[in-house]
Amino acid sequence: MDGTTFPAQTVASDVQTDIAVLKVAAHGMEPAELGYGGEVLVGETAVALGNPLGRGFSETLTVGVVSARERSVVVERYEMSLLQFDAAVNSGNSGGPLSNSMGQVIGMVNAKITWDEGARVEGIGFAVPIDRVVEVSQDLIRYGFVQDRPWLGVVVTQYDGEWP
């Protein structure tokens, strides 16, 4: 990383999964190799890359292991099925890659637990599995929203005793 920055434009985003698709005006960049979420194993190396606590600690790498797969976690009132890992995570890691020992991206870091029932907690981080990141990103690019969610088309109005 040479510190080069590029302007980016948000194409679409999904609050429920905390995923956004950005358009960057850059050429000749190598994409990261993606792993396959179905092959992620508990005990496998988990490497988190990010900018914890802002620019003063940019390009920080922390290492741990995958602690659990398909962990049901509520993040910002949305229930998600996430990878749990124990590599250090701080503000600024969110949105960064979680990779395996081969450098393949296996998830996108999005949360950590810091307090539970009054006790300080360390080493419990979470990532959206890469398969879900790809699926949501493709829907955002193709449709502008995520396709696999049920919705009900209801309009609510106040009844004042007379219909128009």
Side-chain angles (χ1 to χ4, degrees), residues 27-114:
H27 301 284
M29 298 179 75
E30 272 303 305
E33 183 179 343
L34 304 182
Y36 174 65
E39 295 176 356
V40 174
L41 301 173
V42 172
E44 179 175 359
T45 299
V47 178
L49 177 65
N51 298 316
L53 309 176
R55 297 205 49 87
F57 296 98
S58 64
E59 302 172 23
T60 296
L61 181 80
T62 59
V63 180
V65 297
V66 174
S67 306
R69 296 177 39 173
E70 299 179 22
R71 181 72 76 197
S72 181
V73 180
V74 176
V75 179
E76 301 282 331
R77 82 176 199 265
Y78 296 108
E79 187 171 349
M80 306 171 88
S81 179
L82 303 173
L83 294 173
Q84 179 184 330
F85 60 95
D86 68 351
V89 173
N90 292 288
S91 296
N93 281 104
S94 294
L98 183 70
S99 300
N100 60 22
S101 61
M102 295 177 289
Q104 298 168 322
V105 179
I106 58 173
M108 183 189 77
V109 177
N110 76 329
K112 75 173 191 167
I113 293 178
T114 56

Side-chain angles (χ1 to χ4, degrees), residues 13-20 75-78 80 140 146 149:
S13 62
D14 179 57
V15 175
Q16 189 168 331
T17 54
D18 198 22
I19 295 173
V75 179
E76 301 282 331
R77 82 176 199 265
Y78 296 108
M80 306 171 88
L140 291 174
V146 180
R149 297 204 185 106

